[in-house]
Amino acid sequence: MACHEIAALRLGMMNVLGIKDESVIQHEKNEIGSEALSSPGPIQSLTNANNFEDLIRFFDASLVELEQKISGLSSSDPKSGYYTSLLILTKKVELDLKNSAKAFQTLYLDLEEMHDFVHEIYPS
């Protein structure tokens, strides 16, 4: 069993943040597996995300697939506990990801406000 959603998000985040650590990239790709990496869908798209909007959109889509997978499991399935825990983890990550995007948007807006404020104090 693998946490494809988390590994794919880490790869996408590496793109967004400009992290180029080949050992981490290979580790995450191994976690996901070549079949999921080569299959069109949210996991593959998430690994190639280049901005926060794509990270959130593709991560949300990957969670829909995870929820569908979980809904098809019986409660007696030995993987049931793992997938339930994974769903809780991914929900927390989803909230953190959205909050991080909002924090960057707030910073962006605050920079403009501070810039305007400096010009109020020191008019040209």
Side-chain angles (χ1 to χ4, degrees), residues 86-124:
L86 180 58
L87 186 60
I88 293 167
L89 167 66
T90 55
K91 181 61 177 180
K92 172 64 172 133
V93 170
E94 176 189 29
L95 295 171
D96 288 346
L97 182 60
K98 288 177 179 177
N99 286 332
S100 295
K102 286 178 186 175
F104 272 101
Q105 289 171 350
T106 299
L107 174 61
Y108 171 77
L109 295 172
D110 287 351
L111 289 171
E112 180 63 23
E113 186 174 332
M114 288 304 300
H115 180 236
D116 292 345
F117 181 66
V118 168
H119 284 291
E120 286 176 25
I121 296 171
Y122 299 104
S124 4

Side-chain angles (χ1 to χ4, degrees), residues 17-46:
L17 298 172
I19 298 171
K20 308 229 185 290
D21 185 331
E22 195 56 40
S23 65
V24 174
I25 292 169
Q26 283 308 311
H27 172 80
E28 299 304 345
K29 285 183 175 183
N30 289 339
E31 180 78 19
I32 296 168
S34 60
E35 184 179 330
L37 282 172
S38 62
S39 300
I43 296 296
Q44 183 190 61
S45 296
L46 186 54

Side-chain angles (χ1 to χ4, degrees), residues 14-82:
M14 290 176 76
N15 295 337
V16 171
L17 298 172
I19 298 171
K20 308 229 185 290
D21 185 331
E22 195 56 40
S23 65
V24 174
I25 292 169
Q26 283 308 311
H27 172 80
E28 299 304 345
K29 285 183 175 183
N30 289 339
E31 180 78 19
I32 296 168
S34 60
E35 184 179 330
L37 282 172
S38 62
S39 300
I43 296 296
Q44 183 190 61
S45 296
L46 186 54
T47 65
N48 297 315
N50 288 310
N51 56 61
F52 269 111
E53 183 180 326
D54 286 348
L55 284 175
I56 292 168
R57 183 166 45 102
F58 294 131
F59 191 68
D60 284 349
S62 76
L63 297 186
V64 169
E65 284 190 354
L66 177 61
E67 289 169 355
Q68 289 172 346
K69 180 184 277 187
I70 291 170
S71 71
L73 294 176
S74 76
S75 58
S76 62
D77 189 308
K79 297 176 184 176
S80 179
Y82 167 79

